[in-house]
Amino acid sequence: MSKVKVYVTLKPSLLDAQGKVIRVAAENLGYKDVASVRIGKFIEMEVNGKPENIKTQVEELCSKLLANVVIENYRYEIEE
Amino acid sequence: MSKVKVYVTLKPSLLDAQGKVIRVAAENLGYKDVASVRIGKFIEMEVNGKPENIKTQVEELCSKLLANVVIENYRYEIEE
């Protein structure tokens, strides 16, 4: 069984409305030094099988299910 | 300006309903090897100021704004 960590982030060219709200909220709480905030997803998975198969599966899962590749980027780490 | 990466995850003892849905969806797509999925948040921030001040600010922001410490854990990395 391998542990897989996936990071899904909005493409840099797109406005991150949720991040903007958090930046303003931080400012209102007195944290004026926060210049920008961007929100993404962090997904931890446990995947059975041989390491050589896992990479293919994770790549497919990311592009089909976990990320919307039109607006999001993803990267992943596989820990054996 | 420092780049800060924050990872917010649901506490391990709690049921992750969203993760469960994704695990079942993966199974239905034919990925039977996915044993478990847990979903968290990944937050990228740019914070101005001196490195020694940034750690305190990030710690406070995490516990007050970014994570619900009753049900979530957080960890962060500060890149200078």
Side-chain angles (χ1 to χ4, degrees):
Chain A
M1 174 145 7
S2 298
K3 279 210 165 194
V4 181
K5 291 179 181 177
V6 182
Y7 307 87
V8 178
T9 49
L10 204 63
K11 289 190 175 173
S13 56
L14 297 176
L15 174 75
D16 182 348
Q18 199 186 354
K20 211 170 178 181
V21 167
I22 289 185
R23 197 196 59 73
V24 173
E27 196 176 312
N28 292 343
L29 283 173
Y31 302 95
K32 312 272 182 210
D33 291 338
V34 179
S36 81
V37 179
R38 290 185 78 80
I39 309 284
K41 280 178 286 185
F42 171 57
I43 300 148
E44 288 172 304
M45 299 193 290
E46 288 175 337
V47 186
N48 296 315
K50 292 178 191 164
E52 59 266 33
N53 298 336
I54 288 178
K55 194 175 180 307
T56 323
Q57 286 196 40
V58 169
E59 183 68 45
E60 288 179 14
L61 272 172
C62 285
S63 59
K64 285 188 194 171
L65 185 65
L66 300 176
N68 175 348
V69 293
V70 178
I71 58 166
E72 290 171 328
N73 292 328
Y74 61 83
R75 62 188 174 82
Y76 53 85
E77 295 158 8
I78 302 176
E79 293 166 11
E80 278 151 39
Chain B
M1 176 148 4
S2 299
K3 279 210 165 194
V4 181
K5 292 179 181 177
V6 181
Y7 307 86
V8 178
T9 49
L10 203 63
K11 288 192 175 173
S13 56
L14 297 175
L15 174 74
D16 182 348
Q18 198 186 353
K20 210 169 177 182
V21 167
I22 289 185
R23 197 197 58 73
V24 172
E27 196 176 312
N28 292 343
L29 283 172
Y31 302 95
K32 312 274 184 209
D33 291 338
V34 179
S36 80
V37 179
R38 290 185 79 81
I39 309 284
K41 280 179 285 185
F42 171 56
I43 300 148
E44 288 173 302
M45 299 193 290
E46 287 175 337
V47 186
N48 295 315
K50 291 178 191 162
E52 58 268 31
N53 298 337
I54 287 178
K55 194 174 180 304
T56 322
Q57 288 196 39
V58 170
E59 183 69 44
E60 288 179 13
L61 272 172
C62 286
S63 59
K64 285 189 195 171
L65 184 66
L66 301 175
N68 175 349
V69 293
V70 178
I71 58 167
E72 290 170 328
N73 293 328
Y74 61 84
R75 62 189 174 82
Y76 53 85
E77 295 159 7
I78 301 176
E79 293 167 9
E80 278 150 41

